[in-house]
Amino acid sequence: MKDQTVELLKEYGINPTSQRVRIYDYLASGQGHPTVDEIYAVLQRDGHLFSRATVYNTVNLFLEKGLIHNVKVEANETRYDITSAFHAHFKCTSCGALFDIEMEEPLMADTAGFRVDRTSLVFSGQCPVCQAKAAEV
Ligand SMILES: [Zn+2]
Ligand SMILES: [Zn+2]
């Protein structure tokens, strides 16, 4: 259990149970933008026998407290992201992976009275790995 994570969860007003710390550490470990099912599957594989409901409730608590963000690329799928600085996403249409793309937050030319709370930008195409695979065939 990472002390750093314990401190971070406390900072966000979240009681740092060992399950919550594990789930956060998993989210922080990669760039994968996992879904609840993926988090659940990985933790199961690593021998952490949390229920899917625990993962779901924990992720929702993190979300509610502003510790993580959700990313919706497909209408029927919610992914989670711990990077809080603005960035765009790139969805590979071949392998389905979602990548972070560093980018300045775009501004509306004229806000016309709208208040922007959140900007979401998703590009789609083929990632370098899939392009290389396609070139081999
Ligand atoms: Zn790909
Ligand atoms: Zn991201």
Side-chain angles (χ1 to χ4, degrees):
M1 209 155 115
K2 285 187 197 159
D3 290 348
Q4 229 180 320
T5 306
V6 170
E7 288 310 311
L8 182 72
L9 295 190
K10 281 189 198 157
E11 231 173 82
Y12 278 83
I14 300 165
N15 182 19
T17 63
S18 63
Q19 295 184 328
R20 288 171 180 166
V21 169
R22 288 246 188 270
I23 292 170
Y24 183 83
D25 283 345
Y26 172 65
L27 280 164
S29 68
Q31 244 224 32
H33 305 91
T35 61
V36 164
D37 286 329
E38 284 167 8
I39 300 169
Y40 175 63
V42 169
L43 293 174
Q44 285 268 309
R45 198 191 62 205
D46 292 349
H48 304 299
L49 303 172
F50 312 158
S51 67
R52 193 185 174 286
T54 301
V55 176
Y56 183 80
N57 292 337
T58 301
V59 162
N60 273 308
L61 176 69
F62 289 172
L63 203 60
E64 199 180 289
K65 299 284 186 182
L67 183 61
I68 62 173
H69 304 272
N70 57 5
V71 191
K72 267 191 178 287
V73 176
E74 312 292 347
N76 57 354
E77 176 182 273
T78 304
R79 300 185 162 274
Y80 298 91
D81 200 348
I82 65 155
T83 307
S84 56
F86 178 81
H87 61 283
H89 289 109
F90 185 97
K91 167 97 179 174
C92 178
T93 49
S94 296
C95 67
L98 191 66
F99 301 89
D100 281 343
I101 303 287
E102 258 184 67
M103 209 175 148
E104 297 268 329
E105 186 163 358
L107 293 174
M108 278 198 262
D110 178 5
T111 55
F114 296 103
R115 191 195 72 207
V116 179
D117 289 326
R118 202 175 148 175
T119 310
S120 164
L121 195 57
V122 182
F123 299 97
S124 66
Q126 268 195 323
C127 75
V129 172
C130 291
Q131 286 178 65
K133 270 190 203 153
E136 270 171 29
V137 180

